[in-house]
């Protein structure tokens, strides 16, 4: 299992929101910290997921990753 998942809202075949919702319903994946990035408006996300608006700096991405890994969300 990965320690962290980063996904975009805009993807072919499945949106990032659909991916996060699907993983949230699976016991193997539901507790993995998830970062959802997008230039669109912030979607409703499960508790273990956080939103990161585009554009972002590498420093902001690093901070969100550190927070996600340390807090387990």
């Amino acid at each position: 299992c990965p320690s962290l998942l980063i996904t975009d809202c805009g993807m072919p075949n499945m949106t990032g929101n659909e991916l996060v919702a699907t993983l949230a319903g699976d016991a193997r994946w539901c507790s993995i910290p998830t970062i959802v990035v997008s230039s669109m408006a912030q979607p409703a996300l499960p508790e273990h997921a956080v939103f990161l608006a585009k554009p972002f700096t590498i420093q902001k991405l690093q901070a969100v990753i550190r927070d996600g890994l340390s807090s387990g969300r």
Side-chain angles (χ1 to χ4, degrees), residues 9 17 36-46 49-53 73:
C9 279
N17 294 4
V36 179
V37 298
S38 180
S39 59
M40 299 181 285
Q42 180 173 344
L45 297 170
V50 295
F51 179 75
L52 180 59
R73 63 172 187 91

Side-chain angles (χ1 to χ4, degrees), residues 5-6 10 12 14 16 18 21-22 27 32 34-36 38 41-42 55 58 65-68 70 72-73:
L5 173 69
I6 301 174
M14 178 184 279
E18 292 169 335
T22 299
I32 295 174
T34 304
I35 300 169
V36 179
S38 180
Q42 180 173 344
I58 191 67
I65 290 171
R66 273 192 304 273
D67 181 54
S70 66
R73 63 172 187 91

Side-chain angles (χ1 to χ4, degrees), residues 45-59:
L45 297 170
E47 186 177 308
H48 70 279
V50 295
F51 179 75
L52 180 59
K54 290 181 184 177
F56 52 83
T57 64
I58 191 67
Q59 292 83 7

